[in-house]
Amino acid sequence: METEQYGYSEEKQAYLRRLKRAEGQVRGIARMVEEDKYCIDILTQMAAVNKALHAVSIGLLEDHIAHCVVNAANESQESGNPEIVSDKVAEATAAISRLLRS
Amino acid sequence: METEQYGYSEEKQAYLRRLKRAEGQVRGIARMVEEDKYCIDILTQMAAVNKALHAVSIGLLEDHIAHCVVNAANESQESGNPEIVSDKVAEATAAISRLLRS
Amino acid sequence: METEQYGYSEEKQAYLRRLKRAEGQVRGIARMVEEDKYCIDILTQMAAVNKALHAVSIGLLEDHIAHCVVNAANESQESGNPEIVSDKVAEATAAISRLLRS
Amino acid sequence: METEQYGYSEEKQAYLRRLKRAEGQVRGIARMVEEDKYCIDILTQMAAVNKALHAVSIGLLEDHIAHCVVNAANESQESGNPEIVSDKVAEATAAISRLLRS
């Protein structure tokens, strides 16, 4: 079945590796809790996994803008319909805003 | 003197009002410190001014993507030079990353 | 083997459940990437798992202050050595700072 | 009029200087908008003032925990009433949570 290709598709394997690592980090934190490790050491690992996930988000965001938003810009240019790209920009900005508050 | 027009130029007065308000919030926090107000009340105002400034940043970011990045996309399309837009996207993503870590 | 008890120990099972859920969220995001889902939908889930992990961190932080920092305060009070608690407070503040930047 | 002394009172002048500088940064950003500066340069300054304000918040938080929370811990110890400190810890944690989401 032919699936939609997005900006991140080219780097899919790299994203999957990074997500796998983040998943392992969360599992490692659970093990620290299980083994009654010191709170601050656990919190240090929590900050690390948040940072790793934010880095993945930034990558996905860059790919999205470079692919989906840019395609929408060209579509708007060719069709003369500015809403194609303005909707796409609003959608991307809402995603950035959610990340900022997460 | 004709100055460059950017995405935010149309909303300039609105941005100036919001920045003026944020400036006043920071001055208000200083007054709370001056008057030995309770720490938690000061911290509540600190979170509020951070939030207000982040909202301004999100607006500037949306205007930037909708104007500068979209123009670069069209320029790349017309000139056949993909680097015009990819540089612009990388620049925007770096700005988003700085905001996420601020 | 008797292990150290920390503030979070009482809520260990609740923390383990929340971390298990976050681990599942990350795995779910990987599946979305695997199945070429739309970037914005993936980013929405990324913000959700960041939020869930931050909520766990806030819980751990509250338990740490209520247990380890408060114990250190009492120890300082009884021993007359203020450094016991000031070191603990500095350590907790550094952890908060790392979370703010993650 | 004798006002309440808090953890930050000793460093009041330093906090006032830092807040004055942040106020000036916000005014500087407004000037950049006034003078139609490039969006990314404005966003860079926005991230910088957010960071400066967060650093002030971290300082206030450390002083609050080291002074108000520790005093509450000692009061709870002396009075046998654990709620004095647990309320103070919950209040501090809520302030940290607001900062994380700001």
Side-chain angles (χ1 to χ4, degrees):
Chain A
M1 187 193 75
E2 187 53 47
T3 57
E4 178 79 38
Q5 285 296 303
Y6 293 114
Y8 66 82
S9 302
E10 273 172 51
E11 297 294 329
K12 192 192 270 194
Q13 294 312 317
Y15 280 116
L16 290 173
R17 277 194 303 273
R18 291 167 74 183
L19 287 165
K20 196 72 187 162
R21 210 175 310 134
E23 189 193 320
Q25 283 178 280
V26 177
R27 223 177 1 257
I29 290 167
R31 222 172 13 256
M32 291 177 82
V33 169
E34 188 66 68
E35 295 167 2
D36 295 302
K37 297 300 186 192
Y38 184 43
C39 335
I40 294 291
D41 297 335
I42 297 173
L43 282 164
T44 301
Q45 293 309 315
M46 291 295 286
V49 70
N50 267 112
K51 215 166 199 173
L53 289 169
H54 265 151
V56 172
S57 297
I58 289 287
L60 288 167
L61 208 49
E62 179 158 20
D63 291 333
H64 174 67
I65 297 171
H67 184 270
C68 303
V69 174
V70 165
N71 286 351
N74 297 335
E75 242 181 280
S76 274
Q77 175 94 333
E78 284 148 19
S79 64
N81 172 6
E83 284 186 11
I84 299 171
V85 68
S86 59
D87 290 351
K88 210 53 117 179
V89 171
E91 187 188 49
T93 310
I96 297 165
S97 191
R98 281 192 297 272
L99 281 175
L100 262 178
R101 293 196 317 275
S102 70
Chain B
M1 184 194 76
E2 185 54 46
T3 57
E4 179 79 36
Q5 285 297 303
Y6 293 113
Y8 67 82
S9 301
E10 274 172 51
E11 298 294 330
K12 191 192 270 195
Q13 293 313 318
Y15 281 117
L16 290 174
R17 277 193 302 273
R18 292 167 73 182
L19 287 165
K20 196 72 187 164
R21 211 176 308 135
E23 189 193 320
Q25 283 177 279
V26 177
R27 224 178 1 256
I29 291 167
R31 223 173 12 256
M32 291 177 83
V33 170
E34 188 67 68
E35 295 167 2
D36 295 301
K37 296 299 185 193
Y38 185 44
C39 334
I40 295 290
D41 297 334
I42 297 173
L43 282 164
T44 301
Q45 293 309 314
M46 291 295 287
V49 71
N50 266 113
K51 215 166 201 175
L53 289 168
H54 265 153
V56 172
S57 297
I58 289 287
L60 289 167
L61 208 48
E62 180 160 19
D63 291 333
H64 174 67
I65 297 170
H67 184 270
C68 303
V69 174
V70 166
N71 285 350
N74 296 336
E75 245 181 279
S76 274
Q77 174 94 334
E78 283 148 18
S79 65
N81 171 6
E83 283 186 13
I84 300 171
V85 67
S86 59
D87 289 351
K88 213 48 119 178
V89 171
E91 187 188 49
T93 310
I96 296 165
S97 190
R98 279 192 299 272
L99 279 176
L100 265 179
R101 293 195 317 275
S102 70
Chain C
M1 186 194 74
E2 186 53 48
T3 58
E4 179 79 37
Q5 287 295 303
Y6 293 114
Y8 67 83
S9 302
E10 272 172 51
E11 297 295 329
K12 190 191 272 197
Q13 293 313 317
Y15 281 116
L16 290 174
R17 277 193 303 273
R18 291 167 74 182
L19 287 165
K20 196 71 187 164
R21 210 176 309 135
E23 189 193 321
Q25 282 176 280
V26 176
R27 223 177 0 256
I29 291 166
R31 223 173 12 255
M32 291 177 84
V33 170
E34 188 67 69
E35 294 167 2
D36 295 302
K37 298 300 186 191
Y38 183 45
C39 335
I40 294 292
D41 297 335
I42 297 173
L43 282 165
T44 301
Q45 294 308 315
M46 291 295 286
V49 69
N50 266 112
K51 216 167 201 173
L53 289 168
H54 266 153
V56 172
S57 296
I58 289 288
L60 289 167
L61 206 49
E62 181 158 17
D63 291 333
H64 174 69
I65 297 171
H67 185 270
C68 303
V69 174
V70 166
N71 286 352
N74 297 336
E75 244 181 281
S76 273
Q77 175 93 334
E78 284 148 19
S79 65
N81 172 6
E83 283 186 12
I84 300 170
V85 67
S86 59
D87 289 351
K88 211 52 116 177
V89 170
E91 187 187 50
T93 310
I96 296 164
S97 190
R98 280 192 297 272
L99 280 176
L100 264 179
R101 292 195 318 274
S102 70
Chain D
M1 185 194 75
E2 186 53 46
T3 57
E4 178 79 36
Q5 286 297 302
Y6 293 115
Y8 67 83
S9 300
E10 273 173 51
E11 298 294 331
K12 191 191 271 196
Q13 294 313 316
Y15 281 116
L16 290 174
R17 276 194 303 273
R18 291 167 74 182
L19 287 165
K20 196 71 188 164
R21 211 175 309 135
E23 189 193 322
Q25 282 177 281
V26 176
R27 225 178 359 257
I29 290 166
R31 223 173 12 256
M32 291 177 83
V33 170
E34 188 67 70
E35 295 167 2
D36 295 301
K37 298 299 185 192
Y38 183 45
C39 335
I40 295 291
D41 297 335
I42 297 173
L43 283 164
T44 301
Q45 294 309 316
M46 291 294 287
V49 71
N50 267 112
K51 217 167 200 172
L53 289 168
H54 265 151
V56 172
S57 297
I58 290 288
L60 288 167
L61 207 49
E62 179 159 19
D63 291 334
H64 174 68
I65 297 171
H67 184 270
C68 304
V69 174
V70 166
N71 284 353
N74 297 336
E75 245 182 280
S76 274
Q77 175 93 335
E78 284 148 19
S79 65
N81 172 6
E83 283 186 12
I84 299 170
V85 68
S86 60
D87 289 352
K88 212 51 115 177
V89 170
E91 188 187 50
T93 309
I96 296 165
S97 190
R98 280 192 297 272
L99 280 175
L100 262 178
R101 292 196 318 274
S102 70

